[in-house]
Amino acid sequence: MAGTTSPGKRLVRSKSGLRIVPISETDRSPFELREPEWIPDKQSPTCMDCKEKFDFIKRRHHCRRCGRVCCATCCDTRLALPRMCFLDPVRVCTPCAQITNKENLFFDKDLKVLVTGAILCLVDDTSSSLVHVHLTPDHHQLVVAGSSEPDATTLTVPIHRLTGLQVGSREQLVSGSCVVSAVMIQYCLVGEDEQDLTLEAPSEATPSAYAFLTALEKAMFMIQESRAVIGTGE
């Protein structure tokens, strides 16, 4: 069942719960995962985690993130699942709860860092220059903007055109946390060969530069996972 909620969105009800999803496929988040198919009850005489047999007392429950069948003990956590567009917290199994908590941290913190952007060094074979890099609010474009000079260029790369990311270096902060300080991004625009760009934290970088590069690594992992599940979004 589906109903309209707001411009560009629709409300969808499934056996897993209510979801608010874009009407157009092109508006879909590059970090989204499709709702999984539930594994049929008849294929699961025992809990897929603890292996105990189901009966009238030990009932079956489906994890909304992976679709596996578990008992109430192994699937008793309810969490927000924005990556699947669920409106309310849903039931997830223990392994998925750990993954979901990390994903929710990305949605709550890292995405804001990426949209705000940071000042980084764009490095090539002969020179380096300061640029402002940010993710567009709809999360569909990575923008690398040069200085305010009239002849400065701006590179805009659709997220689904990113093909890879390699971490060039990491640094250990005084706080003890490990952050990314340099990355190489591979991308392929329509009708062009694959290209790459190297972004580094400046010599006197602010914490936002390290936070951005660290968040970008997480984003690339999620983009590749989403792409494997639901395609490129083209």
Side-chain angles (χ1 to χ4, degrees):
M1 184 183 81
T4 302
T5 57
S6 61
K9 300 281 187 178
R10 62 192 176 102
L11 187 65
V12 176
R13 182 189 298 275
S14 71
K15 57 187 177 182
S16 292
L18 286 172
R19 301 169 65 227
I20 297 181
V21 301
I23 294 175
S24 172
E25 281 290 298
T26 58
D27 293 332
R28 190 180 65 209
S29 167
F31 306 111
E32 181 183 333
L33 284 180
R34 181 178 288 122
E35 182 180 351
E37 293 288 335
W38 283 12
I39 294 176
D41 290 353
K42 62 182 180 181
Q43 293 183 14
S44 306
T46 62
C47 171
M48 291 185 165
D49 272 354
C50 70
K51 309 304 180 184
E52 289 196 26
K53 188 175 181 179
F54 292 118
D55 53 30
F56 288 110
I57 297 176
K58 186 171 284 294
R59 308 300 296 273
R60 292 175 174 84
H61 297 277
H62 285 83
C63 172
R64 271 52 173 178
R65 190 185 185 282
C66 67
R68 296 187 311 139
V69 186
C70 299
C71 67
T73 302
C74 296
C75 196
D76 65 344
T77 304
R78 292 182 182 272
L79 292 174
L81 196 49
R83 198 171 184 196
M84 290 184 181
C85 307
F86 282 107
L87 185 61
D88 301 309
V90 292
R91 187 186 292 271
V92 292
C93 64
T94 300
C96 282
Q98 298 173 358
I99 296 171
T100 301
N101 279 325
K102 293 179 180 179
E103 292 175 340
N104 289 353
L105 182 61
F106 174 83
F107 277 92
D108 292 340
K109 177 183 177 182
D110 295 302
L111 264 182
K112 296 175 184 176
V113 170
L114 292 172
V115 171
T116 299
I119 300 298
L120 301 169
C121 279
L122 176 62
V123 182
D124 59 28
D125 294 335
T126 59
S127 64
S128 65
S129 58
L130 291 178
V131 292
H132 181 258
V133 188
H134 72 277
L135 191 66
T136 53
D138 63 4
H139 309 154
H140 286 184
Q141 310 276 345
L142 183 69
V143 180
V144 181
S147 66
S148 57
E149 297 297 324
D151 60 345
T153 59
T154 296
L155 172 66
T156 301
V157 181
I159 283 294
H160 67 267
R161 288 291 173 182
L162 299 181
T163 57
L165 181 148
Q166 298 175 8
V167 174
S169 59
R170 301 181 191 271
E171 292 190 18
Q172 193 83 20
L173 299 182
V174 177
S175 62
S177 60
C178 185
V179 295
V180 177
S181 55
V183 299
M184 176 184 287
I185 301 171
Q186 291 84 37
Y187 64 96
C188 186
L189 301 180
V190 177
E192 298 183 9
D193 294 331
E194 186 173 79
Q195 304 177 63
D196 60 65
L197 59 90
T198 299
L199 299 170
E200 297 181 353
S203 56
E204 296 183 2
T206 62
S208 64
Y210 298 112
F212 183 92
L213 292 170
T214 302
L216 191 59
E217 181 190 22
K218 298 177 185 178
M220 191 65 219
F221 174 82
M222 293 183 69
I223 290 167
Q224 291 174 328
E225 185 181 22
S226 294
R227 182 181 293 147
V229 173
I230 59 178
T232 64
E234 293 188 279

